Amino acid sequence: MFNRFSKSRLLPHTYGVKVHKDGYQEWVKNIKIEGGVFESFHNIKLLPLEIQPETAASVSFTGANSIVPDPHDKNILIISSSKKSVSLSMKDNVIINLPAIPTVIKKASTTSQPETPGIISPDTEKEIIISNNEINVTWLRDSGSQPYMKTGQSVLMAKLSSVPKYVAWYQDSNYILYQIQGTFKMSEIDTRDGINTYDLIKTSSPLYYNNKNGFLYTISGKNILKYDLNYER
């Protein structure tokens, strides 16, 4: 269910707008209104102040240092520094102990996501580029809604003190997710009057976000945790 609000007949001015709800992080913008111009912010999300995980399964080892999806994005592999590994079904949380790391996964598990040349959004219209500790978003085609962007246009999402450990697109292609210095964050890509960025989870553990089922997977000790990040507008 989507909630909508509109206000007409405003005089040209810059208006402070805040969307808030008890138990949720606020969305705040200063919106400049000009004569004859309609401004639309249709991707607002209010994110909980605290997200409680569900324990999906447990493993027999500690020291997991990698979470890698299989080529079909149906299972994730939890791999330890001692090369022990298990496979977890993202459909029904069934876990299987593996005798060895599958060959098709070995190369992927040794390459961190931020080193890839670009991360394409689920709607295939945008791309995340990580360079020199900066996260940028580039439009691969003209946008059909506000904020209007042209093909090839880029915006700086974050300038960080170090390379992020993990970067991904949120399922609606209007937010990005990244892990930096023990915090997992979510940022809108609408840069009008700055960017609303939310701290979601405190963790330095490896993680993986599935933009099809909307769950974030991570490790705490021997437990595989999953967080429901399916947020309505």
Side-chain angles (χ1 to χ4, degrees), residues 119-134:
I119 305 168
I120 305 299
S121 60
D123 64 8
T124 71
E125 295 183 355
K126 298 171 281 286
E127 181 180 27
I128 294 173
I129 301 291
I130 298 99
S131 177
N132 297 324
N133 298 353
E134 294 181 353

Side-chain angles (χ1 to χ4, degrees), residues 70-140:
D70 70 12
H72 304 291
D73 211 18
K74 293 182 178 180
N75 306 293
I76 52 174
L77 276 78
I78 316 299
I79 304 169
S80 74
S81 55
S82 60
K83 304 305 179 185
K84 294 181 180 179
S85 62
V86 298
S87 174
L88 174 74
S89 167
M90 289 185 282
K91 180 179 180 180
D92 51 22
N93 294 338
V94 172
I95 195 166
I96 300 174
N97 290 306
L98 301 176
I101 302 173
T103 303
V104 71
I105 298 299
K106 286 183 178 179
K107 184 176 181 180
S109 66
T110 59
T111 303
S112 62
Q113 188 171 1
E115 294 175 355
T116 60
I119 305 168
I120 305 299
S121 60
D123 64 8
T124 71
E125 295 183 355
K126 298 171 281 286
E127 181 180 27
I128 294 173
I129 301 291
I130 298 99
S131 177
N132 297 324
N133 298 353
E134 294 181 353
I135 302 177
N136 292 274
V137 169
T138 298
W139 269 253
L140 304 178

Side-chain angles (χ1 to χ4, degrees), residues 42-58:
H42 56 278
N43 294 307
I44 297 173
K45 294 185 186 299
L46 294 185
L47 307 183
L49 290 171
E50 186 175 357
I51 308 171
Q52 295 298 330
E54 170 190 345
T55 299
S58 297

Side-chain angles (χ1 to χ4, degrees), residues 207-221:
L207 43 76
Y208 169 70
Y209 172 70
N210 185 303
N211 60 32
K212 296 181 178 65
N213 68 13
F215 282 91
L216 174 75
Y217 297 84
T218 188
I219 295 288
S220 178

Side-chain angles (χ1 to χ4, degrees), residues 166 168 177-180 182-186 198-203 207 209 216 229:
Y166 182 84
L177 306 164
Y178 60 95
Q179 183 185 30
I180 184 74
T183 302
F184 185 68
K185 298 174 177 283
M186 182 171 176
Y198 307 97
D199 292 352
L200 296 185
I201 301 164
K202 295 290 186 181
T203 180
L207 43 76
Y209 172 70
L216 174 75
L229 301 188

